[in-house]
DNA sequence: TCCTTTTAGTAAACCGGTTTATTTTATAAA
DNA sequence: TTTATAAAATAAACCGGTTTACTAAAAGGA
C-alpha cells in the first residue's frame, strides 16, 4: 500500500511520465494540456506527495540554502541579525543553515566546510578577527559571500556594515561638548577586525582633534569585575569629568557592574557609553547610553544582496553602509 | 584543468573505482590494502576534494540535519535553547536548520514542510499553542520529534520540559510566607499551551490552598503601558501587600515599565516576579526576581534524546523534567 | 598440483529528482 | 489527401554519492 511516494509514483498513478510531472512541479505548464496538469495536481494532493529537496538540489545545482555564520547566537546583535536575514530568506523561498563560530577561527572554518558540503548557495558571515585565513577556502567554492561589519576582500566584495567611524566621531564630539574633559577607552586587544579598528581609531582621532586626553584600558572576556573596579579607582580623577567608552558590546555589562561603586557620580563626574541595542541598557539605573547598530536591517540588506548574487540579479548595491543612531540616556550628561 | 572534483574524478586519478573511494570515505578501510588507502588519501588532499553531502544524503537516506523550530530567535529562552542544541549537534556531526514560527501555526506548518523536503533526520520544536494541528503532518514523515515545554502526543512521545508546576507552587508559598497577602496574576489569554496552563494552574491552586486571594489580569503583546498602569492603580490597595506574578516572559519588561510610578513601593507594598533568565532583570533597579528555566540545558537534553532516536540508541530517557531555579532579587521581599 | 577460502577490488543498480534530445500526436497549410 | 508545423509527452542521461552482488587474485589446505 504505502509505497514511498516519489515522482515516479506520481507519474505512474497519473498515467504520465516523470518528465511531465517534473515540468508541472516547476510551473512549466505551458508545455502540457489542461487536463494532464489537473490530473497530476489531483494525484499529488491525494497522495500527499512531497518532492525531495535533496534530490532536486543535487540535479538542479542549487539548494535554496543560505549558510549563516555568526559568533554567538545569544548575542543580541547576532540574533537580531539572524532575524532580519530569515525574514528576507523565507520570503524568497530559501532556508537558513546557521552555525556559531564562538569567535574561533577553527570552528568558523569547520562551519564553512560543513556548509559547503551541504551545498549552500551562498554565505552570510559575521567574521572573526582572522577571517582572512579562511577566505580562500570560501572562495574555492565559488559561492557568493556577504560579510557583516567587515569589508572582506572576496572577489565580488559584498558587504554590509554600519558607519562606526562617523558615529564614534559624533559621539566624541557631543560628549566633549557636554563637558567631559577626559576619556577612557575600553577595548579588547585591538585585532584586525575592522569594526574594532574603526571604532577605536575614529574615536581616538577625533579626540586628538578636539584636544581631549584619552587613556586606553585593555580587557578580555575573563577580566574580573574587581580588577576592573580597581583600574577605575586608579584612573578616575574626581576633579576631572571623565567618560568611559566601551568598544566591545559584550564588555558593556561587565563595565557597568564594575562601575557600581561609583554609581552616584554618574553621569556628572563619570560618563558611560557603549555599543549595541542591548535590552538591559534601557532598564538599568541609570539607563545606559549606547550607539545602536541596526542589526535587523543589516541582516535584511545582507540577505537581499546575497540573493541578488545567487540569482544573478543586480538590484542592490553590493556593499552598503548603514547609519548607527546614538541614544543618549542617563549615563551621560 | 579544473574539472569539478567528484568521487569519480578521485577514482580516476587514483586509479581505483568509485566503490573503493566511497569505502575509504566511510572508513571501511578493512576492505582495502594499505597502499590503496594511502594513494586515495593523497589524491583527496591534493585535489581538495569535498564530498557532496547532498548526494550522500540522497542515497544514504539520512542527512545529518536537525530541524529546529522556535517562536522567535531574539527571545532569550529561544536563543539559549538553540545554543544548547547546537553544542551537542555539532559534536555529533549534525548541522542545524533553524526556522522561526513567529508563534504562528501557519508559519510553523510551513517550516515543518520545508524541513521535511530538505530531508532533516528529526525535529526539535518549541510548539505554538496549536501544535496539535500540525502534529499529524509531522508524524506522516515518520521522523522523530522532541518537543520543548509541551508534552506532545507524537507516537514516541519525546519531550523535555521544566518543572513549572513545582517551581510556581514553591514561589507562591515563599512569597506568601514573605508577607504578601494578595496576588495579581498577569497572563496572556490562557490557551492550551501546557507551560502556560501549568504555571497558571499551579500558582492559583497553591494560593487557594494557602487561602490567599488572587486576581487575574489578561494582557496581550499590544497592551499599552498606560493601560497597564491604570489597571494597577485600580487594583493595588496601598494597605495590602500585593505581589505581581507575570506568567509570560515577554510581558515582564512591559509590566516592569508600567510599574515605574509605583517604584518606591517595591518590594514592600508591591512585589514583582516573572519568568526566564533575561539579562536585564539583573541590571534593573530594583533588580527583578525571576524563575529561571535552564534553557541551555534543555536544548542539550533535547538534542541528545533526538540523536538517540535518530541513531536507534536508547541511552537517554525519552522525556525529562528539568528543575527551574527561583532567583529572589530586589523586587520581592 | 588442485581446490577452497580469504582478500582486494569493481560493475551496476539505486536514491529522486532535472534536463536535453527525440518521438508521438494534433493542427494547420498546401 | 498529403505535408509541414506546432503541441504534448517521453526516454534516457545526468547529478554525486552508497551499496549489493559479483569477479579476480592471492593465500592456505589437502
Amino acid at each position: 500500500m504505502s509505497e514511498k511516494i516519489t515522482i515516479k509514483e506520481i507519474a505512474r498513478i497519473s498515467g504520465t511520465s516523470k518528465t511531465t510531472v517534473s515540468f508541472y512541479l516547476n510551473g512549466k505548464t505551458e508545455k502540457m494540456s489542461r487536463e494532464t496538469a489537473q490530473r497530476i495536481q489531483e494525484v499529488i494532493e491525494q497522495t500527499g506527495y512531497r518532492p525531495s529537496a535533496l534530490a532536486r538540489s543535487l540535479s538542479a545545482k542549487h539548494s535554496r540554502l543560505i549558510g549563516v555564520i555568526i559568533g554567538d547566537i545569544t548575542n543580541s546583535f547576532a540574533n537580531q541579525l539572524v532575524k532580519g536575514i530569515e525574514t528576507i530568506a523565507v520570503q524568497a523561498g530559501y532556508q537558513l543553515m546557521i552555525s556559531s563560530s564562538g569567535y574561533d577561527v577553527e570552528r568558523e572554518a569547520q562551519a564553512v566546510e560543513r556548509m559547503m558540503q551541504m551545498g549552500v548557495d551562498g554565505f552570510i558571515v559575521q567574521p572573526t578577527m582572522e577571517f582572512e585565513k579562511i577566505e580562500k577556502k570560501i572562495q574555492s567554492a565559488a559561492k557568493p559571500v556577504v560579510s557583516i561589519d567587515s569589508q572582506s576582500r572576496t572577489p565580488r566584495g559584498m558587504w554590509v556594515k554600519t558607519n562606526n567611524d562617523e558615529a564614534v566621531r559624533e559621539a566624541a564630539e557631543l560628549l566633549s561638548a557636554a563637558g567631559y574633559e577626559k576619556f577612557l577607552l575600553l577595548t579588547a586587544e585591538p585585532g584586525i577586525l575592522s569594526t574594532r579598528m574603526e571604532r577605536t581609531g575614529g574615536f581616538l582621532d577625533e579626540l586628538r582633534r578636539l584636544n581631549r586626553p584619552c587613556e586606553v584600558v585593555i580587557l578580555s572576556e575573563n577580566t574580573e569585575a574587581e580588577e576592573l573596579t580597581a583600574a577605575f579607582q586608579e584612573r578616575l580623577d574626581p576633579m576631572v569629568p571623565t567618560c568611559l567608552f566601551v568598544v566591545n558590546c559584550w564588555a558593556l555589562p561587565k563595565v557597568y557592574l564594575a562601575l557600581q561603586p561609583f554609581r552616584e557620580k554618574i553621569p556628572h563626574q563619570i560618563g558611560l557609553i557603549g555599543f549595541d541595542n542591548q535590552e538591559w541598557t534601557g532598564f538599568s539605573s541609570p539607563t545606559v547610553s549606547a550607539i545602536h547598530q541596526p542589526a535587523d536591517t543589516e541582516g535584511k540588506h545582507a540577505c537581499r544582496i546575497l540573493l541578488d548574487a545567487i540569482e544573478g540579479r543586480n538590484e542592490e548595491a553590493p556593499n552598503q553602509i548603514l547609519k548607527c543612531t546614538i541614544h543618549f540616556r542617563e549615563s551621560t550628561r
Side-chain angles (χ1 to χ4, degrees), chain A residues 98-326:
Chain A
I98 301 176
S99 262
S100 309
S101 68
Y103 306 102
D104 176 73
V105 217
E106 199 45 49
R107 285 180 53 192
E108 185 175 69
Q110 287 163 2
V112 170
E113 189 64 36
R114 289 196 305 270
M115 289 182 173
M116 286 189 169
Q117 295 193 3
M118 283 305 313
V120 299
D121 290 341
F123 292 88
I124 297 178
V125 184
Q126 183 196 17
T128 64
M129 290 168 293
E130 305 159 89
F131 188 58
E132 287 74 9
K133 287 191 182 168
I134 63 163
E135 272 186 320
K136 50 186 170 307
K137 164 173 282 187
I138 229 170
Q139 279 180 38
S140 78
K143 299 285 183 195
V145 185
V146 176
S147 67
I148 302 291
D149 279 333
S150 146
Q151 300 105 311
S152 88
R153 292 185 305 287
T154 45
R156 320 248 327 227
M158 299 183 289
W159 45 258
V160 176
K161 53 172 299 226
T162 49
N163 64 342
N164 284 284
D165 186 75
E166 267 181 61
V168 138
R169 285 173 189 273
E170 191 186 337
E173 196 175 328
L174 293 172
L175 290 167
S176 295
Y180 291 108
E181 295 170 14
K182 201 187 131 186
F183 290 82
L184 225 57
L185 181 134
L186 295 110
T187 179
E189 199 62 61
I192 53 183
L193 189 55
S194 66
T195 308
R196 186 132 77 228
M197 282 172 62
E198 271 186 37
R199 291 179 188 173
T200 308
F203 195 73
L204 291 177
D205 189 57
E206 189 69 14
L207 288 181
R208 212 170 298 122
R209 216 179 56 75
L210 293 164
N211 211 15
R212 288 286 200 282
C214 182
E215 279 186 60
V216 174
V217 176
I218 303 289
L219 43 67
S220 81
E221 300 232 31
N222 36 37
T223 303
E224 298 288 341
E226 299 77 45
E227 198 179 327
L228 217 46
T229 307
F232 294 156
Q233 205 85 47
E234 181 182 319
R235 299 185 202 209
L236 293 173
D237 180 343
M239 304 310 297
V240 185
T242 303
C243 186
L244 309 198
F245 175 78
V246 184
V247 172
N248 305 88
C249 59
W250 52 262
L252 190 55
K254 203 181 274 273
V255 172
Y256 175 83
L257 290 177
L259 218 49
Q260 285 304 304
F262 308 89
R263 194 149 152 188
E264 73 288 350
K265 296 191 175 162
I266 301 173
H268 211 71
Q269 284 135 289
I270 301 177
L272 175 63
I273 189 167
F275 264 94
D276 277 2
N277 191 3
Q278 310 185 44
E279 194 177 22
W280 67 269
T281 57
F283 284 93
S284 56
S285 176
T287 52
V288 175
S289 300
I291 301 176
H292 284 191
Q293 302 185 90
D296 175 275
T297 312
E298 273 193 90
K300 290 183 182 170
H301 281 279
C303 195
R304 288 206 195 93
I305 293 173
L306 185 65
L307 290 174
D308 266 19
I310 291 174
E311 298 177 352
R313 258 171 295 140
N314 209 4
E315 286 165 16
E316 299 279 323
N319 32 58
Q320 299 180 6
I321 302 180
L322 271 45
K323 265 225 166 60
C324 294
T325 55
I326 309 181

Side-chain angles (χ1 to χ4, degrees), chain A residues 30-46:
Chain A
E30 335 85 54
K31 291 268 189 174
M32 69 190 72
S33 69
R34 275 250 158 285
E35 308 93 63
T36 310
Q38 184 141 356
R39 195 143 27 85
I40 292 177
Q41 166 65 14
E42 278 164 15
V43 175
I44 286 179
E45 269 171 17
Q46 49 156 283

